[in-house]
Each structure stands twice: as structure tokens, then as C-alpha cells.
């Protein structure tokens, strides 16, 4: 049924965004895109496949370099106009070895094999007659063809281009590879399929495949985030057994370890999300966790709930938390005392600012160092940092993960710059509505207590999906 | 969306049939693939069920229908049989003799304690893994029973059969209980029943403490369903005594009231509730057995792999070449920077029309002895003639925003073959920008020209 898949060959002047369009359509950030003209030297194709069935191939080609002389070769050898495609074939065959027409041969190869022509121009620079030669060469193939106007710069010469292109192409579309959403890609595919009716079923199938693929990437992203959040919430650093009390220096070391690990988890998660979306070469960075001192260093036991630190959970989530944890938030004295652990207090002011990501006083880790006495006879102790008991944690981590995921999922594969994300301390506040806050608070408790994991996981993934899939 | 998959027997049988019939070609059509795509998070079971739904035309439904019918018939048979047994046992126990005296103790032990123990033990048997005893029970009790019930089919493996039989067991004992309860109420409705007890080893007070213990769950909510010490004392020897003042008894309603309420409550608390729980659990075990059995099937895993492979979307072919680091062309050759020479022999507009070139020249206030155009639509022979005749100092105006192509490089290279010629390139910007070029574009031209590697060509630095 789909044995005769179409090939789409992107051709045009150098540096007009051919590779960029291929890159975004193929979700491949390894395509050579550069502001130096002549970046693409060899023709390469990217197949869209379901299983091992190819639905279409997109070809990236080098730009024309010597069009006028190539056209003159063709005209010199012209017999009748019915023979044009044959002569074009002959041109490709006879000049295989010539360096003069190296780029022309590269780009014409897939066309003489029957590939449809997608002629790419830059709508931000004016049309000039020198383009005529290229278009006339292409028309010798007699293949289905269309044109894409890609506006690289800010100026607008689109109308001039449309007039010129309409002489040669039945279909002329505007497309921007730098910010094209899935929807626009699908519309472009529609234009592709309009070139030849036989391709309709193949393209329709391809569109469904792309939609599915998109959904799947969102789902996998949410799943990835969930795994990392659960890991981070439950994470602890535990010392070996020791007899005496822990020294301040050791405490700081354990805390540092804890913080570093959490940062590493987040970084890894971001890397994984990028891989899901095919941004394999992307270098991304995210602003550090920027918690103001009061946000976390406040003593929860005294006036925790009133403090700014609990804004997120206090207003809506505390009620459900009180239920879920079995103690009331309005009696904060119990907050630190529950469980069989004794809380030690450390002064964190001695810790240098060498931490990447979390700022030092950030999470008030001193509240999370627990010493547990393992058996009275030996009176040995084990010190433990974490798990994070602050219920804001899930909101802050989730908001960061969502922000990153949204940036990645909306990023064009044609982009080659690095990605730097600025975070906003309050983003977690405004990101979730009241019901979501309640649910997240419960999920946080469940994750930490290893309770209702399956349900909580599913619920969490659902919430994340809702937040990242913003098309 | 996230519901745990539950497999019905019918679905299970169809799927098993499909998986085990080697003659069926494992085909997955485009339509099937699209169906798989609908749910990103569908579980393996979902996928397999979909597979069987899509290939149901290959299934021999007669075979499956008959098997299902057998399971259903066995259910009906067991249920009605057990119901009748329960009913008749209830009646017989309630009618101790023709005077309708009831032995509470034997009723209690036979109808409540024994079934309770039996179902609890059998439940633990079903979840506990293999011991010698359970093996023996399986071989000598379950398998023969299941042979009779299901006519041992090859599709259904032992653990599935076992769980089916177990469910039937629970359903049967529920039917038995229903029969008993019905018998109790029918008897109470139709007759005046005298409850009594007698025993060689139990005395009144120990029976009372036993009854109190038994009725703990309802002692607070319905205290009149707990026979008091007096009632127990009064009903002692009612069974054997012949001198019962029936009229006096009938007026003392508390006596029989608290006994039948007690028995009824016991049936509910120790009969119905545990049975329902067990039925629920055994149903769960049964469904899990179906799911597990499918997921452990080698053929099922093959199909799943096939489904995953065949419905997987790839948008590109991953090439494992390292992204090449961009080399800096600037440092290879130094491009000459030119100033406008005092006297120009030639001015050439590259890919310009004559009119535009003149406009530019007027704007820039530059002129030369020869003004020509090349590139663009200029015919090749004209261009070649220009190359042959040109000499001296040459300035070429180019549109800075259009990248230099090979035809331009060839053009200037040909001119430079004459060593006396010198070229300066003048990149101009768009008319909208007052012909001022962008520096980004200038450097593109610079880089390209530097590849010619000649000191006779340079770029006019705007
Ligand atoms: N802002 C912006 N830049 C674009 C757009 N399309 C392409 N570019 C930039 O234009 C430059 C050229 O893009 P390429 O995709 O490499 O162009 P090409 O046609 O493949 O070029 P060659 O391979 O050299 O023929 C790159 O720097 C791109 O980042 C666009 O729509 N907007
Ligand atoms: Mg390119």
C-alpha cells in the first residue's frame, strides 16, 4: 500500500534554510545547519518510518553554485522539450566527475530519481533574476514541485517572491523552521501531498505517525520527570555507623553530598528529556535554585505556616496534607518530632558557596539531618540527610522540570545555540491550580511513605502531561 | 485511562487460541498500528487484547464458545447443587425432630464454624506456593474436579484451571450459605422453633463466654442477638426434655428471639462476609492468573516485540558521526582590505541590472572608464568575452546578502589569471538600508574570497 513512498528534495540557493527545514521536519539536531553558506556539501536523506516501513524521505542538498552554466549545458544539448528530463539525466551522468557542477550533481541526483522538488527561498531578501536559472533547471525534471518561503531576517519581500515563484510553482507556502509547531509541520506535509494525489495516503499515515510520536514523547517526558521527582523526594544520604556524635564538618559533608546528588539527578533528568525529544547535541543550562533565605531556613516549628516558605502548600494543600500525614499543620510542634528520629541542628553558615544549583542555605537541610540510634547496647548511631520533608519541594522541583520540558518540547531542531533557562521563584506558585496543589501535596506524602505508589505515579504523570503539553 | 487491565475469560481464551495456533500468520496491518498508537501508555495486556480483537476472524469461536459454556454450566451446576445442599442441610438441622426443636450447637458448628475454617484453609492453600500437601491436593482433588468441569483443555494451563476451580469453590460455598440462611428464615416463618442445646463437656457458663466471644462483633449494636446467661440456662435440656410447656415458652419470646437472631448474625458475620471477601480475592487471583499466564507466554512476548517494532515511529536515521566542530576559516588566509583606488578601469555589477548598477554608482559617487554587468542573467558568452577583454583595476559590486557562489569565484579567478589585474569587491546592502551592508554578510564574503588565496583580490571595507 505504501510501497511507493515519495521523496521530497529541498533545493535552492545556499544558506536559505534548507537544512533548517529538514532538521525540524526530521526532529534531528545533527543536520548541518550554519550561517556559513555551503555548509551542506553532500545530499543526505531522512526517512520517516513506521517500523521499517518508509513513509517518505526528506533530502537535504547543497545549494546551487553554478546554475547559469548548468542551464547553459542543458540548453546546448536540448532537443525537444519532451526530452528535457532525459537531458537532465544525461547532465547528471556526464558531469558526475566534474568539479564545476559538483553541487548541482549532488542536488539533482535525487531529483532525477523522481524526488519531488521543494524549492526554498528566503523571504527576507528580495527576489533577483539570478534565481531564474535554478528554477528553470528544476523544471527540466518535470517532477512535482512546490516552493517554500522561509523568512530568515526581519525584512519582508514575500510578495515579490510570491509573484516570481507563482510563475514556476503551483504551490507556494510560507514556513518558518525556527518556530514551526507540530500543527504547521502537518500543514506543510499537506502541501507536500497536494503535489501528487498518489501520495495522499502515505502522507496521511505519516501525519498520524508524527502526531502519535509527539504524544509519545510527551508521555515519556512526564514519566521521566515522575521517576526523577520520586527519586529526589525519597533520596537520603546515610553515614556508616559511628559511635560518637557527628562532627559539624561531617554534617556539612553529608549535606553537600545530598545537595550534589539532587543536582545531578535533575541534570540527568534534563538530559534524558532532551534525548526523548531528539535534542542530542543540545547544551542546556538552567539557573540555580534560587531560594531566598527565609524561604527555607525558617524554623518550621514556630511559625512555619505563616512564613513565606509555606505559601505554596499552606493555602490549599495543608488541609489535605494534614489528613495524609496524620498530624495537623496547625500544631507544628509535632512537625519535627514525628518518627523515631532525633533532629540535630547545625549551623550552615560555615558552608561555602561552592554548591552548583541549590544555593547553600537554600533548603534548610539542617532540618533534615537525622541521627538514629541503632540499638542501645552498642549505642551506635547512623546519620542521615534526607529525605526532604519540606512539602514545597515537590512543587519547586516539578515546576523546574516542567519549565525545562516545555522549553525542550517547543524547541526547533534547527536551532544550534545553547539553551539557558531563567527560573522564577514564584513560578511554582502560579503554575498549579488549587486542586493540583492538593494532589501534588498528597503525592509528595505518598512518594515519601512509599504508599499508593501506582496511583500516585499515574496521577502525577497526568498532572505533568497537562502542564507540558501546551500546543 | 490508567485502569488496571482486567482480562475476561472470553478474551483470554481468544488470545490464547491466537497465540498458540501456529498456522495463523502474525499480521499487523496499518489499521492495527494506528489503533496501537491511540494510547501511549497502554499496557502489554491492552496491546495483546487489541491484537486478538483485530485478528478475531482467525479464532475458532466454536471451540471457545463450547469451553466457555462448559465453565458457565459448571458454575450453574455447582451453584444450584450447593444451594440445594445448603437448603436441605439447613432444614434438617433446624428440624431436630418433629417438634421443631433445634440443636443450636450442632447447627452452629456444622453450618458456621466448619465452612468458615474450610474456606479459610482452602484460601491459604491457593495463595501458598507448592508444598507436598498442596501438590497432593492439586493432583488428587483439583485436577480430577477440573477434568470433570472443563474437560481438560490444552489452551488452559493448570494454574488457570486451578484458579477457575477455586472461584467456583467460593461461589459454591456462597450458594450453600444462601441455602442455609433461606432454610433458617423459612423455618422461622412457618414454624414455632424451640432452640436448645446439650453437651457433656460444656457447661452453661463456658457456653455463655463462648457465645459472648463469638458475638463480639455485634454485641454493641444488637445486644438482643446475644443470648443471655438466662436464655442459655433456660434452653439447656430443651432438646431431650419431654416436659416442655409450649405455651409458656411461646410467651417468653426473648428465648427464641435471641437464639435465632444470634444464629442469623453468626451466619452473616462468619458466613457471608468472609465468603464475600474470599470470593472477591479468588476472583482477583483468577484474573491475575489469566493476566500472568498471558504475559508469561513466549508467543505473547514475540507478538509484543513485533507490535513495538512495527509501530515505532522514527523521523530520522541516527548517524553516529560526531558533530563536526566548525573550523575558523578566517585564520587561514588574510583577506586584503582595499580602499577605493584613484582610478578605476572597470566597474562590474555582479548579478545586477545595468539600471540598478547606475543607481548605486550615483549613490556612491564612483565611476570608471568601463561599466559592465556580469552574473545574474548575463549570457555566458558575454561574460566570457568580458573576462577575456578585461584588464586593470576592477571593482565589483555585489549584493552582500546573497552568498558568493562558485560561479562568482570562477569569474574572479579567471580575471585574476592575468597577473596585472587587481579586483576589489564592494559588497552593498539593500536599498532599504541605504546600501549599507550587514557586517555578518561582509564576513561571509571575506571568508569566501580568502579561499582564492590571491593578493590581487580584496574586499572594500565599508
Ligand atoms: N532566524 C532565522 N534563521 C534561520 C531561519 N532559517 C534558517 N536560518 C538560519 O540561516 C542559516 C542557514 O541555514 P541552513 O539551514 O544551514 O541553510 P541551507 O540552505 O541548508 O544552507 P547550505 O547548506 O549552506 O546551502 C543558519 O544560520 C540558520 O540558523 C529562520 O527561519 N529564521
Ligand atoms: Mg544546508
Amino acid at each position: 500500500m505504501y510501497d511507493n513512498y515519495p521523496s521530497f528534495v529541498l533545493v535552492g540557493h545556499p544558506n536559505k534554510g534548507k537544512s533548517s527545514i529538514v532538521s525540524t521536519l526530521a526532529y534531528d539536531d545533527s543536520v548541518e545547519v550554519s550561517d556559513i553558506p555551503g555548509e551542506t556539501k553532500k545530499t543526505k536523506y531522512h526517512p520517516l518510518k513506521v517500523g521499517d516501513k518508509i513513509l517518505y524521505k526528506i533530502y537535504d542538498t547543497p545549494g546551487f553554485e553554478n546554475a547559469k552554466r548548468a542551464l547553459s549545458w542543458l540548453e546546448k544539448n536540448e532537443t525537444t522539450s519532451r526530452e528535457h528530463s532525459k537531458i537532465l539525466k544525461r547532465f547528471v551522468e556526464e558531469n558526475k566527475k566534474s568539479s564545476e557542477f559538483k553541487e548541482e550533481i549532488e542536488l539533482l541526483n535525487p531529483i532525477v530519481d523522481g524526488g519531488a522538488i521543494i524549492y526554498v527561498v528566503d523571504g527576507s531578501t528580495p527576489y533577483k533574476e539570478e534565481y531564474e536559472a535554478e528554477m528553470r533547471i528544476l523544471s527540466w525534471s518535470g517532477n512535482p514541485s512546490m516552493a517554500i518561503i522561509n523568512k530568515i531576517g526581519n525584512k519582508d519581500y514575500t510578495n515579490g517572491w510570491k509573484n516570481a515563484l507563482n510563475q514556476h510553482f503551483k504551490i507556494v507556502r510560507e514556513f518558518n523552521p525556527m518556530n514551526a509547531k507540530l500543527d504547521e509541520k502537518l500543514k506543510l506535509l499537506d502541501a507536500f501531498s497536494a503535489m501528487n494525489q498518489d501520495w495522499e495516503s502515505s502522507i496521511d499515515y505519516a501525519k498520524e505517525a508524527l502526531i502519535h510520536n509527539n504524544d509519545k514523547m510527551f508521555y515519556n517526558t512526564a514519566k521521566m520527570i515522575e521517576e526523577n521527582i520520586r527519586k529526589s523526594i525519597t533520596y537520603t544520604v546515610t553515614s556508616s555507623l559511628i559511635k560518637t556524635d557527628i562532627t559539624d564538618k561531617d554534617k556539612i559533608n553529608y549535606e553537600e553530598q545530598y545537595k550534589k546528588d539532587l543536582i545531578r539527578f535533575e541534570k540527568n533528568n534534563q538530559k534524558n528529556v532532551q534525548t526523548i525529544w531528539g535534542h542530542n547535541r543540545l547544551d542546556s543550562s538552567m539557573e540555580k535554585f534560587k531560594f531566598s533565605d527565609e524561604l527555607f531556613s525558617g524554623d518550621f516549628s514556630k511559625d512555619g505556616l505563616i512564613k513565606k516558605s509555606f505559601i505554596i502548600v499552606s493555602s490549599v494543600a495543608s488541609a489535605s496534607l494534614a489528613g495524609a500525614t496524620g498530624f495537623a499543620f496547625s500544631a507544628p510542634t509535632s512537625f519535627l518530632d514525628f518518627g523515631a528520629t532525633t533532629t540535630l541542628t547545625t549551623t550552615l553558615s560555615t558552608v561555602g558557596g561552592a554548591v552548583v544549583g541549590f544555593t547553600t542555605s537554600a533548603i534548610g537541610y539542617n532540618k533534615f539531618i537525622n541521627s538514629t540510634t541503632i540499638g542501645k547496647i552498642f549505642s551506635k548511631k547512623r546519620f542521615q540527610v534526607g529525605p526532604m520533608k519540606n512539602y514545597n519541594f515537590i512543587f519547586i522541583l516539578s515546576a523546574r522540570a516542567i519549565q525545562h520540558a516545555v522549553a525542550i518540547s517547543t524547541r526547533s531542531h534547527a536551532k544550534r545555540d545553547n539553551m539557558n533557562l531563567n527560573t522564577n521563584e514564584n513560578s511554582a506558585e502560579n503554575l498549579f491550580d488549587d486542586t493540583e496543589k492538593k494532589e501534588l501535596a498528597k503525592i509528595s506524602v505518598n512518594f515519601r511513605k512509599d504508599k499508593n505508589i501506582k496511583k500516585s505515579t499515574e496521577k502525577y504523570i497526568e498532572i505533568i502531561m497537562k502542564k507540558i503539553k501546551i500546543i | 485511562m490508567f485502569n488496571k487491565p482486567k482480562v475476561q475469560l472470553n478474551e483470554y481464551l481468544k488470545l490464547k487460541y491466537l497465540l498458540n495456533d501456529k498456522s495463523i500468520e502474525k499480521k499487523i496491518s496499518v489499521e492495527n498500528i494506528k489503533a496501537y498508537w491511540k494510547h501511549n501508555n497502554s499496557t502489554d495486556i491492552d496491546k495483546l487484547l487489541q491484537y486478538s480483537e483485530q485478528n478475531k476472524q482467525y479464532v475458532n469461536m466454536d471451540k471457545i464458545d463450547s469451553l466457555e459454556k462448559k465453565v458457565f454450566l459448571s458454575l450453574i451446576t455447582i451453584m444450584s447443587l450447593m444451594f440445594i445442599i445448603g437448603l436441605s442441610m439447613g432444614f434438617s438441622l433446624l428440624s431436630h425432630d418433629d417438634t421443631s426443636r433445634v440443636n443450636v450447637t450442632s447447627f452452629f458448628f456444622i453450618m458456621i464454624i466448619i465452612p468458615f475454617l474450610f474456606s479459610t484453609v482452602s484460601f491459604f492453600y491457593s495463595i501458598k506456593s507448592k508444598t507436598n500437601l498442596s501438590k497432593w491436593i492439586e493432583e488428587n482433588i483439583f485436577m480430577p474436579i477440573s477434568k470433570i468441569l472443563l474437560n481438560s483443555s490444552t489452551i488452559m494451563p493448570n494454574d488457570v484451571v486451578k484458579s477457575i476451580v477455586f472461584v467456583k469453590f467460593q461461589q459454591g460455598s456462597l450458594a450453600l450459605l444462601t441455602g442455609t440462611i433461606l432454610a433458617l428464615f423459612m423455618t422461622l416463618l412457618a414454624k414455632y422453633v424451640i432452640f436448645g442445646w446439650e453437651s457433656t463437656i460444656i457447661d452453661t457458663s463456658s457456653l455463655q463466654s463462648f457465645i459472648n466471644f463469638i458475638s463480639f462483633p455485634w454485641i454493641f449494636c444488637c445486644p438482643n442477638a446475644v443470648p443471655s446467661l438466662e436464655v442459655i440456662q433456660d434452653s439447656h435440656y430443651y432438646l431431650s426434655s419431654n416436659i416442655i410447656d409450649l405455651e409458656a415458652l411461646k410467651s417468653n419470646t426473648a428465648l427464641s428471639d435471641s437464639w435465632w437472631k444470634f444464629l442469623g448474625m453468626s451466619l452473616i458475620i462468619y458466613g457471608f462476609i468472609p465468603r464475600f471477601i474470599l470470593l472477591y480475592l479468588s476472583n482477583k487471583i483468577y484474573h491475575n492468573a489469566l493476566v500472568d499466564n498471558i504475559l508469561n507466554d513466549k508467543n505473547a512476548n514475540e507478538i509484543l516485540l513485533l507490535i513495538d517494532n512495527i509501530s515505532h515511529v522514527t523521523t530520522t536515521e541516527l548517524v553516529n558521526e560526531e558533530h563536526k566542530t566548525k573550523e575558523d576559516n578566517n585564520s587561514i588566509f588574510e583577506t586584503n582590505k582595499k580602499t577605493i583606488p584613484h582610478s578605476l578601469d572597470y566597474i562590474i555589477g555582479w548579478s545586477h541590472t545595468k539600471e540598478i548598477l547606475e543607481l548605486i554608482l550615483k549613490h556612491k559617487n564612483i565611476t570608471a572608464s568601463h561599466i559592465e554587468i556580469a552574473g545574474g542573467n548575463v549570457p555566458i558568452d558575454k561574460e566570457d568575452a568580458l573576462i577575456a577583454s578585461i584588464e586593470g583595476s576592477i571593482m565589483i559590486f555585489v549584493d552582500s546578502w546573497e552568498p558568493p557562489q562558485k560561479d562568482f569565484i570562477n569569474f574572479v579567478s579567471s580575471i585574476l589569471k592575468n597577473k596585472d589585474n587587481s579586483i576589489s569587491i564592494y559588497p552593498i546592502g539593500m536599498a532599504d538600508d541605504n546600501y549599507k551592508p550587514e557586517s555578518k554578510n561582509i564576513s561571509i564574503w571575506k571568508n569566501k574570497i580568502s579561499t582564492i588565496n590571491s593578493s590581487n583580490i580584496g574586499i572594500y571595507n565599508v
Side-chain angles (χ1 to χ4, degrees), chain A residues 18-19 32 39-40 60-61:
Chain A
K18 301 179 292 294
S19 302
E32 294 153 322
E39 176 72 8
T40 310
D60 185 21
T61 66

Side-chain angles (χ1 to χ4, degrees), chain A residues 9-13 18 61-64 67 70-71 74 84-85 88 91 103-104 106-112 115-121 131-148 165 168-169:
Chain A
V9 189
L10 282 104
V11 291
H13 239 49
K18 301 179 292 294
T61 66
F64 281 99
L71 181 61
L74 294 174
H84 273 180
S85 68
L88 193 69
F91 171 76
E103 289 78 12
E104 279 72 16
E106 275 287 316
L107 74 93
L108 286 173
N109 250 325
I111 291 177
V112 297
I117 294 159
I118 317 285
Y119 187 65
V120 181
V121 300
Y131 287 85
E132 286 294 320
E134 297 172 0
M135 294 193 254
R136 288 195 22 223
I137 292 172
L138 295 171
S139 74
W140 276 54
S141 69
N143 290 3
S145 62
M146 66 171 283
I148 291 179
L165 291 169
H168 296 270
F169 302 98

Side-chain angles (χ1 to χ4, degrees), chain A residues 13-21 32-40 60-63 150-153 175-178 414:
Chain A
H13 239 49
N15 221 29
K16 300 301 178 192
K18 301 179 292 294
S19 302
S20 303
I21 294 171
E32 294 153 322
V33 169
S34 138
D35 52 6
I36 300 166
E39 176 72 8
T40 310
D60 185 21
T61 66
N150 169 30
K151 254 184 72 194
I152 294 181
F175 183 77
N176 189 326
M178 291 302 169

Side-chain angles (χ1 to χ4, degrees), chain B residues 354-372:
Chain B
K354 203 93 182 207
E355 300 78 60
I356 291 198
L357 180 62
E358 266 151 19
L359 216 69
I360 296 168
L361 293 180
K362 214 160 116 196
H363 181 266
K364 299 280 176 200
N365 204 8
I366 306 174
T367 188
S369 13
H370 303 271
I371 293 171
E372 303 283 350

Side-chain angles (χ1 to χ4, degrees), chain A residues 266-276 280 282 404:
Chain A
E266 189 185 53
K267 191 80 207 151
N268 278 346
N269 175 60
Q270 293 181 350
K271 196 90 208 150
N272 291 337
V273 169
Q274 283 164 209
T275 308
I276 289 174
N280 297 309
L282 173 63
H404 173 263

